[in-house]
Amino acid sequence: MKENRVLSKNKVEENITFFDRWARTYDKPLFQFWMRRFYRPALKIIDGGKVLDVSCGTGEFLRELATKKKIKLYGTDISSQMIAKAQKKLGNQVQLQKADVHNLPFRDNYFDYAVSTESFHHYYDQRRALQEMKRVTKTGGKVIVVDIN
């Protein structure tokens, strides 16, 4: 059990370092063109309510969601650099905070949608990540995972 916690901590630290570095170039047009292709289906599904974008990166998906009416937006990311770029981009339109998907800082049954786009393959414990996303999503809400891998 102790060994699993050490491995998990190491994986989290690796991901933080990786995404903090990537934040500088994450918004490059070619990469964002590719990412938009993956989150467009989720944009069609979400029609209002409270939305959590887990591993939100620099907030591009949230920025597109912000154009919809009757929507309250939240975003989390493990990288403080990604959160900083998203905050600069989105201002007060979205409530952002640094958080790990494996331990989301929200109460049970809070969101209408919990969404992860192109991040799931980075989670060290995918079952636990899904359980957390489900925990914070209301009964009758939707957990949406879009991941090419």
Side-chain angles (χ1 to χ4, degrees):
M1 188 72 157
K2 184 178 178 183
E3 185 177 313
N4 285 344
R5 275 187 261 142
V6 170
L7 288 173
S8 300
K9 184 178 180 187
N10 289 343
K11 185 63 176 166
V12 168
E13 289 171 4
E14 286 174 22
N15 279 342
I16 290 170
T17 300
F18 178 78
F19 287 103
D20 278 351
R21 286 184 183 147
W22 193 7
R24 291 185 300 262
T25 60
Y26 194 80
D27 285 337
K28 295 274 186 186
L30 184 59
F31 180 69
Q32 287 306 317
F33 172 79
W34 182 73
M35 288 294 287
R36 252 181 244 104
R37 294 178 52 99
F38 293 105
Y39 65 65
R40 278 202 179 112
L43 286 171
K44 292 177 183 175
I45 294 169
I46 297 168
D47 59 1
K50 291 183 201 159
V51 179
L52 173 63
D53 184 5
V54 178
S55 305
C56 66
T58 62
E60 284 299 308
F61 179 62
L62 289 166
R63 183 162 63 177
E64 291 208 33
L65 281 172
T67 64
K68 294 187 172 208
K69 295 182 171 135
K70 298 180 182 176
I71 218 166
K72 187 158 180 159
L73 299 171
Y74 299 78
T76 63
D77 202 283
I78 199 164
S79 164
S80 57
Q81 297 301 311
M82 292 285 193
I83 290 291
K85 287 192 95 169
Q87 190 70 63
K88 186 175 181 180
K89 191 183 293 184
L90 299 163
N92 294 330
Q93 293 177 304
V94 179
Q95 292 184 29
L96 297 165
Q97 63 183 298
K98 182 177 176 179
D100 182 352
V101 65
H102 302 90
N103 188 26
L104 294 170
F106 302 102
R107 63 181 168 85
D108 296 357
N109 303 307
Y110 189 71
F111 296 100
D112 297 288
Y113 301 91
V115 184
S116 172
T117 57
E118 284 307 299
S119 303
F120 199 74
H121 59 279
H122 292 286
Y123 302 157
Y124 66 85
D125 187 340
Q126 293 173 338
R127 180 183 306 264
R128 185 166 155 203
L130 274 176
Q131 288 170 338
E132 271 296 279
M133 291 172 70
K134 184 179 177 188
R135 178 187 65 77
V136 301
T137 303
K138 295 176 183 175
T139 302
K142 293 184 178 162
V143 173
I144 302 170
V145 176
V146 179
D147 200 298
I148 194 167
N149 292 320

